[in-house]
Amino acid sequence: MNLVGISFILRNDRGDEDSCRKHNEVEFMNQITIRDEFIKLGQALKLAGIAQSGVDAKYMIEEGNVKVNGETETRRGKKLYDGDTVEAEGKSFTVSSSMKN
């Protein structure tokens, strides 16, 4: 069995790494930087601080309240790549990857 892990760096608009994590609260991020080629939509919503849990992300997505690159997306497992933009809850963020396609 192969195990695949996702490593990531969170950056806020000041460029500070990890400054968004404070006592189990996640501040909204306008960009998430990942070290892998892609991240799944549900995970990205949590990392950006738009969804507080995987369950929150699941319902947001299933209810059609999330757009990826301007198109409504209803798949939680949708893979996001470098340059993809996500909009939800009146906020948006961009995915940045150190592994360019």
Side-chain angles (χ1 to χ4, degrees), residues 60-86:
M60 267 187 243
I61 296 165
E62 285 179 352
E63 292 171 358
N65 296 326
V66 178
K67 290 185 178 185
V68 175
N69 299 324
E71 300 289 325
T72 300
E73 182 57 62
T74 57
R75 296 172 293 161
R76 183 170 55 159
K78 165 76 174 164
K79 293 178 181 178
L80 303 177
Y81 295 91
D82 183 67
D84 283 341
T85 301
V86 178

Side-chain angles (χ1 to χ4, degrees), residues 26 33 35 39 46 51 68 75 77 79-80 89-90 92 98:
V26 178
T33 301
R35 293 183 183 145
I39 186 169
K46 291 187 303 182
V68 175
R75 296 172 293 161
K79 293 178 181 178
L80 303 177
E89 302 291 315
S92 67
S98 59

Side-chain angles (χ1 to χ4, degrees), residues 8-12 16-18 20-21 29 32-33 47:
F8 55 88
I9 299 172
L10 294 176
R11 296 184 190 274
N12 61 19
D16 301 329
E17 292 181 14
D18 296 327
C20 64
R21 294 197 182 262
M29 306 298 286
I32 59 172
T33 301
L47 291 177

Side-chain angles (χ1 to χ4, degrees), residues 1-66:
M1 170 180 12
N2 291 334
L3 298 177
V4 177
I6 295 177
S7 56
F8 55 88
I9 299 172
L10 294 176
R11 296 184 190 274
N12 61 19
D13 56 352
R14 296 179 304 275
D16 301 329
E17 292 181 14
D18 296 327
S19 65
C20 64
R21 294 197 182 262
K22 299 177 185 174
H23 309 291
N24 295 327
E25 294 179 13
V26 178
E27 176 181 309
F28 169 70
M29 306 298 286
N30 60 3
Q31 176 178 321
I32 59 172
T33 301
I34 58 174
R35 293 183 183 145
D36 295 310
E37 183 179 359
F38 66 87
I39 186 169
K40 292 183 181 181
L41 179 57
Q43 294 169 326
L45 288 170
K46 291 187 303 182
L47 291 177
I50 294 176
Q52 292 189 2
S53 70
V55 173
D56 289 341
K58 176 182 176 179
Y59 289 124
M60 267 187 243
I61 296 165
E62 285 179 352
E63 292 171 358
N65 296 326
V66 178

